[in-house]
């Protein structure tokens, strides 16, 4: 009598999730969704400064959140850029339980030449921001810092890259005030030192964009996320002048080129214009294509602006799900304080 072993072996293997042709349900699910929080243009003014510790507490209590990103502008544009204030904000950043990725904004350095900001040299303030907020290049802020790829070798520790949930991230130092080319108080044009800083930082930003997409393609990531302070496509400006935006042009062209050559969705999160918005600024038919001299549309690029300034009433809870064709979804979570 011949023993029929195959069904018995198959049944045993199936119990272990190992049988050929029998799918492992856990493996089929793929990676679990990954959630991060996005804030920006906060805290602005005395009331928000007083409330900011509670904002940190609320995000810390949001259990799905595993990473926090701040899109810059840690103060309003008419207050003093003092060491003491910077230290006050840094102390709150250090209270975030999760890793915190901070993208530098213009209010904390570029605009500090203004008399009501203290009439500082913006380049000196930038050096202070880097010294205080990026003491360990290659590591985020927060109580449980994470490793990231940093451009510290180029003198720009704040530009970082990392991967989470099959998504490639890049935090890019791109600021308002025409990416810091707006003339300082008492000047009619950028100073040589000012222009040199912008040229060096822009070159580094473009390299980081290129490297992020190259790594995403090599790793077969599902999506790319870019984090920046500047709103290069401000919908609140009805008739933008190229003279106020020209320093963004090479960056926008690089983003468009890389996005068009990437098979998955691309998401650009920014602050700066203070009002929540979601659009596709480089899709076919957009007026920004001609404005920036972009020759090929990038319909897969979505831009999301976070609420900020006096309208900073919520944060974004963003979820990565590689099984979803859109990869990212988000909701606005009201501040409870």
């Amino acid at each position: 009598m011949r023993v029929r072993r195959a069904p018995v072996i198959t049944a045993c293997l199936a119990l272990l999730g190992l049988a050929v042709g029998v799918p492992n349900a856990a493996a089929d699910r793929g990676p679990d969704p990954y959630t991060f929080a996005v804030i920006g243009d906060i805290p602005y003014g005395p009331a928000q400064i007083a409330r900011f510790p509670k904002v940190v507490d609320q995000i810390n209590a949001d259990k799905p959140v595993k990473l926090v990103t701040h899109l810059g502008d840690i103060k309003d544009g008419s207050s003093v850029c003092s060491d003491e204030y910077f230290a006050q904000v840094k102390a709150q950043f250090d209270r975030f339980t999760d890793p915190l990725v901070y993208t530098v904004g213009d209010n904390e350095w570029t605009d500090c030449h203004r008399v009501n900001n203290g009439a500082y040299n913006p380049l000196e303030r930038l050096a202070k921001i880097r010294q205080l907020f990026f003491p360990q290049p290659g590591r985020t802020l927060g109580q449980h810092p994470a490793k990231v790829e940093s451009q510290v070798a180029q003198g720009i520790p704040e530009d970082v890259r990392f991967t989470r949930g099959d998504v490639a991230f890049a935090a890019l130092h791109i600021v308002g005030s025409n990416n810091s080319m707006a003339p300082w108080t008492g000047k009619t044009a950028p100073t040589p030192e000012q222009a040199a800083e912008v040229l060096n930082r822009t070159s580094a930003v473009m390299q980081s964009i290129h490297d992020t997409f190259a790594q995403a393609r090599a790793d077969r990531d599902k999506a790319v996320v870019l984090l920046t302070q500047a709103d290069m496509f401000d919908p609140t400006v009805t008739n933008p002048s190229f003279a106020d935006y020209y320093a963004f042009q090479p960056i926008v062209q690089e983003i468009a080129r890389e996005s068009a050559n990437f098979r998955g969705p691309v998401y650009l999160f920014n602050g700066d214009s203070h009002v929540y918005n979601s659009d596709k600024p480089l899709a076919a038919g957009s007026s920004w294509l001609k404005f920036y001299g972009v020759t090929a549309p990038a319909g897969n690029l979505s831009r999301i602006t976070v609420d900020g300034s006096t309208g900073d009433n919520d944060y974004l809870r963003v979820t990565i799900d590689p099984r979803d064709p859109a990869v990212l979804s988000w909701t606005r979570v009201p501040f409870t304080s």
Side-chain angles (χ1 to χ4, degrees):
M1 180 178 177
R2 185 170 60 188
V3 178
R4 299 178 61 194
R5 296 179 179 175
V8 176
I9 294 173
T10 299
C12 291
L13 291 174
L15 290 175
L16 299 174
L18 299 174
V20 177
V22 179
N24 185 321
D28 275 4
R29 285 200 304 267
D32 290 333
Y34 183 94
T35 300
F36 63 98
V38 187
I39 56 176
D41 300 281
I42 185 175
Y44 269 43
Q48 288 191 21
I49 292 168
R51 185 186 71 174
F52 195 55
K54 294 182 179 179
V55 169
V56 176
D57 291 341
Q58 181 179 347
I59 296 175
N60 281 344
D62 193 338
K63 292 184 178 180
V65 170
K66 298 181 176 67
L67 174 82
V68 183
T69 65
H70 189 298
L71 300 179
D73 278 8
I74 57 175
K75 57 180 285 295
D76 62 40
S78 58
S79 57
V80 177
C81 305
S82 67
D83 289 2
E84 292 76 15
Y85 181 77
F86 289 169
Q88 183 180 355
V89 174
K90 173 62 161 51
Q92 292 304 316
F93 279 8
D94 289 341
R95 293 183 57 244
F96 278 106
T97 303
D98 298 310
L100 171 67
V101 175
Y102 163 49
T103 306
V104 181
D106 58 354
N107 284 3
E108 48 263 41
W109 74 275
T110 300
D111 299 338
C112 295
H113 61 87
R114 298 171 181 169
V115 174
N116 60 5
N117 278 229
Y120 291 92
N121 180 321
L123 299 183
E124 182 275 332
R125 290 291 80 189
L126 175 57
K128 181 62 179 182
I129 287 288
R130 286 171 172 162
Q131 177 264 323
L132 180 63
F133 287 90
F134 303 92
Q136 293 182 292
R139 297 184 72 83
T140 68
L141 297 172
Q143 294 180 16
H144 296 91
K147 291 183 179 180
V148 289
E149 293 290 331
S150 169
Q151 288 188 314
V152 64
Q154 295 157 267
I156 307 177
E158 65 272 20
D159 277 359
V160 301
R161 299 190 294 115
F162 54 97
T163 302
R164 294 291 186 277
D166 289 342
V167 173
F169 285 76
L172 306 167
H173 190 164
I174 311 168
V175 292
S177 306
N178 196 18
N179 203 20
S180 187
M181 285 296 280
W184 298 343
T185 300
K187 308 291 183 181
T188 58
T191 69
E193 296 80 8
Q194 181 181 0
E197 186 282 326
V198 174
L199 181 63
N200 179 61
R201 181 167 44 82
T202 298
S203 176
V205 162
M206 293 175 66
Q207 183 65 53
S208 184
I209 293 169
H210 171 79
D211 291 347
T212 300
F213 278 92
Q215 192 66 53
R217 286 189 289 268
D219 293 344
R220 298 183 179 180
D221 287 328
K222 302 296 185 181
V224 169
V225 168
L226 306 177
L227 307 166
T228 182
Q229 186 259 331
D231 186 347
M232 299 178 284
F233 315 99
D234 189 345
T236 67
V237 180
T238 57
N239 188 26
S241 169
F242 190 69
D244 297 328
Y245 286 77
Y246 69 86
F248 298 130
Q249 183 178 49
I251 296 171
V252 171
Q253 291 180 347
E254 182 72 8
I255 291 173
R257 183 164 46 248
E258 291 289 356
S259 296
N261 290 324
F262 185 69
R263 296 182 62 181
V266 180
Y267 294 94
L268 170 62
F269 289 87
N270 66 259
D272 195 19
S273 53
H274 305 157
V275 179
Y276 174 80
N277 181 55
S278 176
D279 59 14
K280 290 182 176 290
L282 298 179
S286 170
S287 61
W288 293 109
L289 296 173
K290 182 178 180 180
F291 184 86
Y292 282 119
V294 174
T295 57
N300 60 333
L301 173 69
S302 298
R303 184 277 297 272
I304 304 93
T305 302
V306 298
D307 283 321
S309 183
T310 56
D312 200 339
N313 301 312
D314 54 67
Y315 65 96
L316 289 186
R317 182 195 290 135
V318 186
T319 299
I320 300 171
D321 188 348
R323 300 162 297 183
D324 184 340
V327 186
L328 262 63
S329 60
W330 57 89
T331 185
R332 296 159 71 188
V333 181
F335 290 134
T336 56
S337 58

